[in-house]
């Protein structure tokens, strides 16, 4: 059984757009490539045909995974969330107790995670460690080289 994931309206729209792109544009291109390769003759020694079939298989796998993700996706009603705790779609400002470095992360579903833009997955070690914390609490997060301690400085919602 697949795990339910929670998305913003924007995240859900991105997933649907990608699925539509794959189904409506990429799938016909893959079929066309197979047809062109088939027309070139003997299939037993046709590397172009084999490559086109493999590309189609990978495309169908991606489409299948996206459909499964969308089937288990739930839209979050952010007005119903507790704003005093770090939950999914919270923006959390933390301070490393060891070196004093401050970081700000937005907690998102795994498929929306993008460290470059400050979005981390709630399934990541830091994401899991921050879930449910309030301002002023200390998040002790297990990392490969020990335990890191972070002060929760601020929690906001956009």
């Amino acid at each position: 059984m697949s795990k339910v994931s929670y998305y913003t309206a924007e995240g859900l729209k991105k997933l649907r757009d990608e699925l539509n792109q794959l189904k409506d544009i990429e799938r016909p291109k893959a079929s066309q490539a197979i047809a062109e390769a088939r027309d070139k003759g003997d299939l037993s020694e046709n590397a172009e045909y084999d490559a086109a079939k493999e590309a189609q298989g990978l495309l169908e796998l991606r489409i299948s995974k996206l459909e499964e993700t969308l089937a288990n996706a739930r839209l979050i009603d952010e007005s119903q969330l507790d704003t005093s705790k770090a939950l999914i779609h919270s923006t959390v400002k933390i301070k490393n107790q060891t070196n004093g470095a401050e970081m700000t992360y937005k907690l998102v579903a795994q498929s929306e995670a993008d460290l470059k833009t400050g979005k981390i997955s709630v399934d990541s070690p830091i994401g899991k460690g921050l879930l449910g914390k309030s301002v002023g609490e200390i998040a002790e997060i297990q990392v490969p080289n020990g335990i890191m301690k972070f002060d929760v400085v601020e929690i906001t919602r956009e």
Side-chain angles (χ1 to χ4, degrees):
M1 182 169 158
S2 293
K3 196 172 107 177
V4 172
S5 295
Y6 296 92
Y7 293 88
T8 58
E10 175 189 348
L12 215 48
K13 183 182 182 322
K14 273 187 193 173
L15 285 177
R16 285 192 181 110
D17 289 347
E18 182 180 356
L19 181 61
N20 290 337
Q21 165 80 13
L22 292 175
K23 281 181 161 181
D24 300 340
I25 297 168
E26 300 302 323
R27 187 182 266 167
K29 280 184 188 175
S31 295
Q32 182 65 32
I34 290 171
E36 287 173 9
R38 190 180 310 121
D39 291 342
K40 293 186 178 172
D42 186 11
L43 296 182
S44 64
E45 295 180 13
N46 190 336
E48 195 175 323
Y49 177 78
D50 292 340
K53 286 294 281 182
E54 187 173 331
Q56 182 187 38
L58 293 172
L59 176 68
E60 292 302 326
L61 180 66
R62 179 72 183 134
I63 288 171
S64 173
K65 285 186 184 275
L66 268 174
E67 286 175 336
E68 182 181 342
T69 299
L70 279 167
N72 294 305
R74 301 293 178 266
L75 186 62
I76 289 187
D77 180 2
E78 295 197 33
S79 67
Q80 302 296 314
L81 297 177
D82 181 357
T83 56
S84 68
K85 294 188 183 302
L87 302 171
I88 191 164
H89 297 206
S90 294
T91 300
V92 184
K93 185 176 187 179
I94 57 176
K95 183 177 181 180
N96 187 327
Q97 286 188 343
T98 307
N99 61 16
E102 287 193 353
M103 296 156 282
T104 303
Y105 296 117
K106 181 165 184 167
L107 302 175
V108 296
Q110 190 167 357
S111 63
E112 290 184 87
D114 180 10
L115 195 55
K116 287 183 225 138
T117 60
K119 294 179 178 180
I120 62 169
S121 168
V122 291
D123 296 326
S124 70
I126 293 176
K128 283 181 183 175
L130 292 175
L131 282 177
K133 298 290 186 229
S134 299
V135 172
E137 285 191 69
I138 297 170
E140 293 186 6
I141 299 167
Q142 181 70 44
V143 292
N145 63 348
I147 294 179
M148 295 181 72
K149 293 183 180 181
F150 296 97
D151 294 319
V152 179
V153 178
E154 181 182 35
I155 300 171
T156 58
R157 297 202 169 272
E158 279 99 52

